Amino acid sequence: MAQAVRHDAMRARNLALVLGEVNARGSLTRAALAEITGLTKTTVSKLVADLIEAGLVVETGAVRDGERGRPGVVVRVSGEHVASVGLEINVDYLAVRVVDLSRTVRLRRTQAVDNRFAQPGDVVALLRDLALKAVDDAVDMGLRVVGGVLAVPGPVDQRTGTVHNAPNLGWRDVPVAALLELPFPVQVENEANLAALGELWFGSGLSDFLHVSGEIGIGAGLVVRGRLFQGSHGFAGELGHVVVSPDGPACRCGGKGCLEQYASQDALAAATGLPPGAGPHGNGAQRTGAQAGGASGNGTQATPGGTTAGDISWIVSRLEAGDAAALAACERAGWALGVALSSAINLVDPDTIVLGGIYGPLFPWIGEAVAATLTSRLGQMRDAVPPVVVSRLGTEAAALGAAGQVIQRVIADPAALLQT
Amino acid sequence: MAQAVRHDAMRARNLALVLGEVNARGSLTRAALAEITGLTKTTVSKLVADLIEAGLVVETGAVRDGERGRPGVVVRVSGEHVASVGLEINVDYLAVRVVDLSRTVRLRRTQAVDNRFAQPGDVVALLRDLALKAVDDAVDMGLRVVGGVLAVPGPVDQRTGTVHNAPNLGWRDVPVAALLELPFPVQVENEANLAALGELWFGSGLSDFLHVSGEIGIGAGLVVRGRLFQGSHGFAGELGHVVVSPDGPACRCGGKGCLEQYASQDALAAATGLPPGAGPHGNGAQRTGAQAGGASGNGTQATPGGTTAGDISWIVSRLEAGDAAALAACERAGWALGVALSSAINLVDPDTIVLGGIYGPLFPWIGEAVAATLTSRLGQMRDAVPPVVVSRLGTEAAALGAAGQVIQRVIADPAALLQT
């Protein structure tokens, strides 16, 4: 019995070793895998056969010259069988993404809603419908969804899947994982952390950056040498509540003068002249649609399946029309973002700042103020102020990071999947 | 040849494995070491003999029952032979600490000086004299100093040992390691990071905390699960330049309203009524002395070998006398520290805040304002605001962390020492 347990543990470790190398290197022959892992060719062949049977790995058909002239068949991670679902509950939209094991995005669904005045149960039920439809469509593509991660805008107790506190949703201690009741395991994680991982896995290829998620709330995720920094309890990255001005406007968090009071979507809409909640989606109109592919949310127009729209496209249209209030709101938001980021840079020393979410479409109007504020506050201390760039993922980053998190876990422990 | 290289590498790894276990567990028999490491008893005996010969490990004389009734002699890390030097250049003092391999502090030297208007070369020459005298005294105790680390108040290029920028010293690009010319290798590191490591290794036993170094400047070091977080370039933890009020007083860093403008030693002295640099040490009077032991710098009186003194003991005496300006300065400093810490807590999520340096003696007058500010700004978002405690190490933390860093490196790679 103990012998069997030990054998299982060793097999699990070796499956992870082989799949990890295939994933990291793109494609490999069995002979190359044996050489890299130090396992015998017989062991590698058995492990690869198990991974092929489980649909995690596939032979490409390509043949590569091996040692001593014997050609070998190349294997790679299979995108044809196993998939994950990335889910997101945000203040003004719900999102679902299906990603296959080769990290190709297979399905995108976004629904604009206003979750601020909705009951958590109703929001979760709507998301559940969206997710189940996406899973059905994935099945039609021949994919098996093995797990999901849900992104929420606030700190989460990851063990219980409970949203601790999401002030912009008005949620407190909501057991969202339990409410969701999907036919596969779902982890719940902070939206800003997942958006940073989305940028890491699906973005511009950087491995050292602070990713800022501009939404109704503002969060951040710090990636250092390819790893997410989460702090002592997983609550790091609450950039939206960094102090810009200690006696500034009261914030939902209980503080005053937090960054969200200057640079969130609501703050920008209010300063532009739109009362919060009165945007194009404030009347409860809901839009949904599937997109064939391509990142969305970083354009300035609401698309048929757009992921942001609502207030932000309205703000952008005012900016494009040269509206003075909108321009002043962006100038102020850029300055505030620069102040908060200068505190963040002093504290956590990121290599690059990646602006995501609403800061993508707003960048032409806030970028200069952010950069000028950073230079004036940091330029004398440092040879170089960290560059500020725009994420190409827009508001899609969190849901993609969520889906990618599941893929990461399958790659790290394929044996768990083989047993089911 | 390749065989020999491989054998050396394996021996180095095994020496580190054995010394690491002895260090972590306090004391062990050779039989227990063989069981824990998986090495044969013969191999362990040979490795232990080498470590004893190098003076890194010693037999305690104690005998412990082994397996099958055969008693074994217990070994532990030796504090009798190998030692390290921790050095610190700060704005108003120089410090030297000698620590042996068992992490016992063997020698403490602190000299009050005013380095703000001194040439870097003169400061380094004075520190060199102090260090060489300490090394001589260590030799008299039978100790061999194998390396040193120097703490400086500002960001450092660790590869070249160059102080990048220390605005409170007025230093820019000073190649301090090269200038120091000590007869053993010296690494240069940021004072605030080393103070956090000092707290980790010589302090209260916490392994998750943000340590705040209050001095002429203010720095911080974040320890998460026993490891120092340094950011992407090693410049993390510049708490002194976190924004308290964006249009506040101009700061030496080029910014405005940084924490240092409210809560540094100079800011407190100025608000109490003492112009910067006019404190008891401002006339160039220098004090030095060796202490037998015990942490210093956390009392409210200047001791014969005191490490802080200067302005801070004067401020404390004004506080004890009930001086209104001093009390108001502390109230304001505590509030500002609370504002900056609330930004830090939102960004990096520390488990506990440890206040070090001048905040030790000042705690009775600033503690309440810090805690009240944190509660009012964070209490609504979190179940619990991180507790704020006082370091018992005072201004000694950085020099101890520096010495401890060398010990850490010897434990991690004893073979490097055996070859010399």
Side-chain angles (χ1 to χ4, degrees):
Chain A
M1 187 62 192
Q3 193 73 23
V5 168
R6 212 169 308 154
H7 176 263
D8 281 356
M10 196 198 292
R11 180 166 167 274
R13 198 178 50 102
N14 287 340
L15 282 166
L17 189 62
V18 167
L19 184 57
E21 290 297 337
V22 174
N23 178 61
R25 292 165 195 255
S27 63
L28 282 170
T29 63
R30 290 170 177 81
L33 273 167
E35 204 175 309
I36 291 162
T37 59
L39 301 170
T40 67
K41 283 183 195 173
T42 313
T43 304
V44 166
S45 290
K46 174 77 180 71
L47 294 165
V48 168
D50 289 351
L51 292 169
I52 288 175
E53 198 192 324
L56 302 180
V57 154
V58 68
E59 292 186 344
T60 62
V63 170
R64 199 172 289 167
D65 283 348
E67 53 185 27
R68 292 176 206 164
R70 283 199 293 169
V73 177
V74 171
V75 296
R76 60 163 171 76
V77 169
S78 167
E80 302 304 309
H81 300 286
V82 168
S84 70
V85 166
L87 305 166
E88 183 179 5
I89 295 175
N90 217 311
V91 178
D92 56 353
Y93 63 88
L94 300 174
V96 177
R97 297 289 181 278
V98 175
V99 170
D100 69 34
L101 199 66
S102 71
R103 289 213 175 83
T104 302
V105 184
R106 301 293 289 268
L107 197 104
R108 294 176 151 89
R109 294 267 160 77
T110 302
Q111 181 153 344
V113 290
D114 193 334
N115 289 327
R116 267 173 286 203
F117 307 104
Q119 289 301 312
D122 296 340
V123 174
V124 171
L126 188 53
L127 181 66
R128 184 168 189 274
D129 289 348
L130 278 177
L132 288 175
K133 272 179 215 146
V135 170
D136 282 349
D137 291 347
V139 169
D140 291 345
M141 297 184 224
L143 295 171
R144 177 164 72 105
V145 173
V146 298
V149 164
L150 167 61
V152 294
V156 174
D157 183 336
Q158 288 183 22
R159 286 161 308 152
T160 62
T162 299
V163 177
H164 187 68
N165 190 5
N168 293 317
L169 283 173
W171 287 18
R172 212 176 170 116
D173 297 321
V174 176
V176 64
L179 291 171
L180 201 54
E181 284 186 332
L182 286 173
F184 43 78
V186 175
Q187 302 269 327
V188 186
E189 298 182 28
N190 182 286
E191 178 267 327
N193 286 345
L194 291 172
L197 290 173
E199 178 63 30
L200 177 67
W201 293 323
F202 299 90
S204 52
L206 296 172
S207 60
D208 271 89
F209 57 87
L210 181 74
H211 179 272
V212 181
S213 296
E215 311 270 346
I216 300 291
I218 302 169
L222 178 67
V223 174
V224 181
R225 283 178 276 282
R227 290 174 62 96
L228 183 69
F229 173 80
Q230 297 201 79
S232 286
H233 319 96
F235 298 159
E238 291 288 341
L239 185 71
H241 302 287
V242 164
V243 181
V244 170
S245 186
D247 299 313
C251 184
R252 272 176 257 215
C253 75
K256 280 191 281 185
C258 299
L259 176 61
E260 283 192 9
Q261 296 307 311
Y262 302 85
S264 68
Q265 185 172 317
D266 275 3
L268 280 161
T272 302
L274 188 80
H281 64 265
N283 57 1
Q286 292 175 350
R287 290 164 298 108
T288 183
Q291 287 171 259
S296 60
N298 56 352
T300 55
Q301 297 297 319
T303 60
T307 52
T308 336
D311 300 21
I312 203 63
S313 60
W314 178 81
I315 294 170
V316 168
S317 68
R318 297 289 291 263
L319 289 164
E320 286 174 335
D323 180 285
L327 292 169
C330 278
E331 183 73 22
R332 185 159 166 268
W335 164 80
L337 195 50
V339 170
L341 284 173
S342 71
S343 287
I345 291 165
N346 274 310
L347 279 171
V348 301
D349 179 32
D351 187 72
T352 301
I353 306 293
V354 181
L355 295 183
I358 63 167
Y359 300 130
L362 293 179
F363 194 76
W365 296 279
I366 64 163
E368 215 165 291
V370 174
T373 307
L374 290 185
T375 301
S376 82
R377 296 201 68 99
L378 300 169
Q380 215 164 305
M381 278 280 276
R382 293 167 183 256
D383 285 342
V385 171
V388 179
V389 302
V390 174
S391 170
R392 291 177 305 182
L393 302 178
T395 56
E396 198 183 32
L400 286 180
Q405 187 83 297
V406 179
I407 300 302
Q408 194 76 352
R409 284 170 191 160
V410 172
I411 301 282
D413 185 17
L417 204 64
L418 268 64
Q419 283 154 9
T420 59
Chain B
M1 185 63 194
Q3 194 72 22
V5 169
R6 211 171 305 155
H7 176 263
D8 282 356
M10 197 199 291
R11 181 166 167 271
R13 198 179 52 102
N14 288 340
L15 282 166
L17 188 63
V18 167
L19 184 58
E21 289 298 336
V22 173
N23 177 62
R25 292 164 194 256
S27 62
L28 283 169
T29 63
R30 289 171 178 80
L33 272 168
E35 205 175 308
I36 292 162
T37 60
L39 301 171
T40 67
K41 284 183 195 171
T42 313
T43 304
V44 165
S45 291
K46 174 74 181 73
L47 294 165
V48 168
D50 288 350
L51 292 169
I52 289 175
E53 198 192 323
L56 302 180
V57 153
V58 69
E59 293 185 342
T60 64
V63 170
R64 198 172 287 167
D65 284 349
E67 53 184 27
R68 292 175 206 165
R70 283 198 293 169
V73 177
V74 171
V75 296
R76 62 163 171 75
V77 168
S78 168
E80 302 304 311
H81 299 286
V82 168
S84 70
V85 166
L87 305 167
E88 183 180 4
I89 295 175
N90 217 311
V91 179
D92 56 352
Y93 63 88
L94 299 176
V96 177
R97 297 290 181 275
V98 174
V99 170
D100 69 36
L101 199 67
S102 71
R103 290 215 175 83
T104 303
V105 184
R106 301 292 290 268
L107 196 105
R108 294 178 152 88
R109 294 268 159 76
T110 301
Q111 181 154 343
V113 289
D114 193 333
N115 289 328
R116 266 173 285 202
F117 307 104
Q119 288 301 310
D122 295 342
V123 174
V124 171
L126 187 55
L127 180 67
R128 184 168 190 272
D129 288 349
L130 278 176
L132 289 174
K133 273 178 214 146
V135 170
D136 282 350
D137 291 348
V139 169
D140 292 345
M141 296 183 224
L143 296 171
R144 178 164 70 105
V145 174
V146 299
V149 164
L150 166 62
V152 292
V156 174
D157 183 336
Q158 287 182 24
R159 285 162 308 152
T160 61
T162 299
V163 177
H164 187 68
N165 191 4
N168 293 317
L169 283 172
W171 288 17
R172 213 179 168 113
D173 297 321
V174 176
V176 64
L179 290 171
L180 201 55
E181 285 187 330
L182 285 172
F184 44 77
V186 175
Q187 302 268 327
V188 186
E189 298 182 27
N190 183 286
E191 178 269 327
N193 284 345
L194 290 171
L197 290 172
E199 179 64 29
L200 177 68
W201 292 323
F202 299 90
S204 52
L206 296 173
S207 60
D208 271 88
F209 57 86
L210 182 75
H211 178 273
V212 182
S213 296
E215 311 271 345
I216 301 289
I218 302 170
L222 178 67
V223 174
V224 180
R225 283 178 275 284
R227 291 173 63 95
L228 182 69
F229 173 79
Q230 297 202 80
S232 286
H233 320 95
F235 299 158
E238 292 287 341
L239 185 71
H241 302 288
V242 164
V243 181
V244 170
S245 186
D247 299 313
C251 183
R252 271 176 259 215
C253 75
K256 279 192 281 185
C258 298
L259 176 61
E260 282 192 10
Q261 296 306 311
Y262 302 85
S264 68
Q265 185 172 317
D266 275 4
L268 281 160
T272 302
L274 188 78
H281 64 267
N283 56 3
Q286 293 172 351
R287 289 163 300 105
T288 183
Q291 285 171 259
S296 59
N298 58 348
T300 55
Q301 298 297 319
T303 59
T307 52
T308 334
D311 300 17
I312 204 63
S313 60
W314 177 82
I315 294 170
V316 168
S317 69
R318 296 289 292 264
L319 289 164
E320 286 173 336
D323 179 286
L327 292 168
C330 278
E331 183 73 21
R332 185 161 166 268
W335 164 79
L337 196 50
V339 170
L341 283 173
S342 72
S343 288
I345 291 164
N346 274 311
L347 279 172
V348 300
D349 179 33
D351 187 72
T352 301
I353 306 293
V354 180
L355 296 183
I358 64 167
Y359 300 130
L362 293 180
F363 193 75
W365 295 278
I366 64 164
E368 215 165 289
V370 174
T373 306
L374 290 185
T375 301
S376 80
R377 296 202 69 101
L378 300 170
Q380 215 164 305
M381 276 282 276
R382 291 164 184 258
D383 286 340
V385 171
V388 179
V389 303
V390 174
S391 170
R392 291 177 303 185
L393 301 178
T395 55
E396 199 183 32
L400 287 180
Q405 186 83 298
V406 180
I407 300 302
Q408 194 76 353
R409 285 171 191 160
V410 172
I411 301 282
D413 185 16
L417 204 63
L418 268 64
Q419 282 155 8
T420 60

